[in-house]
Each structure stands twice: as C-alpha cells, then as structure tokens.
Amino acid sequence: AGFIKSPLSQKRLTQDSVELYCEAIGNPIPEIQWWFEGNDPNETYAQLWDGARQDRVKINATYNLHSTSTISIANLTGDDSGMYECRASNDPDRNHLSKSPKVKWIRSQANVFVIERPEIATQVTESSGKLILSCNMSASHIPIKGHKWIHKDKTLEEDEEPGAFTSYTINGKREEHSGVYECVYEANPQIRGQVNISVPPQVTAYKKSEHGNEGDTGVLTCKNPSFPAVTTWSWYKSGHGV
C-alpha cells in the first residue's frame, strides 16, 4: 500500500468544522483507518469511527480501484486539537487479534489546531444620511492581514490594514440597504462577523393603479424592504379579505 494523497495540517476556530482527506493505492485495495492523538502528554493514539464524539465525527470511505477516505469533524472544541493519522494497509492479517501483520500499517499525519473563536462586537449607527457598520474583534493573538466587507456574496470593500477594528459606510436610507453584511478578517484561519441592518415591515405598491381590458389577467404587486423578511402577506379589496 502507498499514499496518493495525504491529509494536510489546518488551523480552525472553535465551532467551525474541519475535513481531512486521504487516498491510498495497492493490490489488494488497502483499508484506511483514522487515528487521533491529543495534545495531552499522557494521551495515546485512539482509533476514530463514524459517529464518534457525540456524532460530530463523520467518516466516508470508498474502495473502488483504490481507497479514499474523508473524515470531517463538526462544531470543533479545543479538545479536537491534535494529531490526526491516516493509516493504510492491505496485509490480510492487518486486523488479526493475535497474529502480527507481515506488512505494517503505513501512516500519514496532519495537525489540527483549534483556536478559541474571538468575540466580535458589531454596531450600526446612522449619521447625516449615512449608515456606518462596524466590527471590533476582542483581543486575539491571530495576526490580521486585512479586512473585507461582503453583502449577498459580493465584496463591497477590502483593505490590508492589520487592526481589530473595521468599518464600512453606506450612503442612503436604512430601508434601501437592509439585510446581512459580513466583516471578514483576513487571517489564518479567516474570522467572520455578521452585521444586520434591520427594517420593520412597510408595504409599498409597485404601481398606484393598473389598467386592463375585461377578460385580461391583472397582476398587482406590493414590495416590502424589511429585514428579516416578512413571512405572511394578506390581500384585501375594499376592506374585505381575498
């Protein structure tokens, strides 16, 4: 057995997820196992399985021409930091309880560093017809290489400043710019904060009047810029529900 692809070391924040990938080749097709050794000096390697750690661990493997295996761990905690080891072997006695395998398991390792997620204080202030969105990250030892502001998957602004504070200014009314905005700290790992511009429900008619011939189909449209979005609409004609 031999590795085609080995897992890569990664840094992640608490509450994030991580995915490690391993690929091995051989004849017969080798089996892949995942093992873990924590950072505690007394801790030894223990095998991981699908559903471990209160079902936060998921392992998917395929054995077709060669072996591939992916381990993913959700909702990371500090205890998930450590060395993850992908092991592969195609020795017939590899899992025998008394016989030693002729060919030892081959191993490939990757470190996962789980860093405590820093808190981000967010704020929206209105001044002179402008909206100022701000994010301020609590003390963090992670070096910051820049910032980015994102809305609806579109990058609005970016810089290469190192500070824990970042802001973005919008010209216009709150009603015209409601929704979720993200402040992104460019670091390893990347850190994201969320700023919500909330607007209470307010209904405006798309057109004040509509004309048509008898027998035509009439379409009446109302819009509402609120955030969060409204979930229920009701229509009335001359005060009566329709």
Side-chain angles (χ1 to χ4, degrees):
F3 288 115
I4 306 171
K5 289 185 180 176
S6 297
L8 299 174
S9 294
Q10 299 178 48
K11 288 181 182 177
R12 286 288 183 270
L13 298 171
T14 50
Q15 300 162 37
D16 278 353
S17 60
V18 70
E19 189 172 274
L20 300 171
Y21 182 78
C22 192
E23 204 168 325
I25 197 166
N27 187 16
I29 296 171
E31 175 192 356
I32 291 179
Q33 294 180 356
W34 288 95
W35 292 68
F36 171 75
E37 183 182 51
N39 293 326
D40 190 318
N42 299 322
E43 199 164 344
T44 57
Y45 272 102
Q47 188 175 354
L48 293 167
W49 66 94
D50 191 52
R53 299 181 186 171
Q54 289 82 47
D55 209 31
R56 291 188 299 113
V57 173
K58 298 292 180 191
I59 297 175
N60 290 311
T62 59
Y63 297 96
N64 182 16
L65 300 179
H66 59 277
S67 312
T68 65
S69 184
T70 303
I71 184 170
S72 55
I73 303 147
N75 199 18
L76 290 166
T77 70
D79 292 338
D80 295 318
S81 285
M83 185 73 76
Y84 289 79
E85 192 171 84
C86 170
R87 297 183 182 181
S89 176
N90 56 5
D91 189 297
D93 298 326
R94 61 185 178 274
N95 292 317
H96 202 284
L97 295 175
S98 56
K99 279 188 193 176
S100 293
K102 300 178 192 68
V103 180
K104 297 291 185 187
W105 289 80
I106 60 169
R107 306 175 182 200
S108 185
Q109 297 174 331
N111 256 315
V112 172
F113 304 93
V114 182
I115 301 162
E116 190 66 34
R117 178 181 290 277
E119 287 188 15
I120 298 176
T122 63
Q123 195 174 16
V124 180
T125 54
E126 293 184 60
S127 175
S128 306
K130 295 180 179 179
L131 293 167
I132 301 163
L133 283 56
S134 64
C135 288
N136 196 7
M137 188 164 68
S138 61
S140 171
H141 303 298
I142 305 169
I144 299 164
K145 299 172 186 173
H147 311 91
K148 196 183 286 182
W149 282 89
I150 295 173
H151 178 54
K152 294 180 179 176
D153 296 326
K154 181 183 175 185
T155 300
L156 305 171
E157 186 177 272
E158 51 189 322
D159 63 49
E160 295 181 359
E161 300 297 320
F165 178 85
T166 178
S167 67
Y168 176 68
T169 302
I170 299 171
N171 290 304
K173 296 178 180 177
R174 181 181 282 261
E175 291 78 19
E176 296 165 355
H177 301 280
S178 63
V180 179
Y181 292 76
E182 278 190 305
C183 56
V184 180
Y185 290 84
E186 296 294 1
N188 184 19
Q190 195 182 69
I191 304 162
R192 290 174 174 250
Q194 197 175 86
V195 184
N196 294 338
I197 298 182
S198 300
V199 175
Q202 45 196 284
V203 180
T204 56
Y206 185 68
K207 284 185 184 177
K208 291 295 181 187
S209 62
E210 193 69 68
H211 301 279
N213 296 318
E214 192 171 355
D216 287 351
T217 299
V219 179
L220 309 178
T221 305
C222 279
K223 58 182 182 177
N224 164 47
S226 73
F227 179 82
V230 296
T231 54
T232 306
W233 289 86
S234 300
W235 284 83
Y236 297 84
K237 177 176 180 282
S238 304
H240 299 288
V242 293

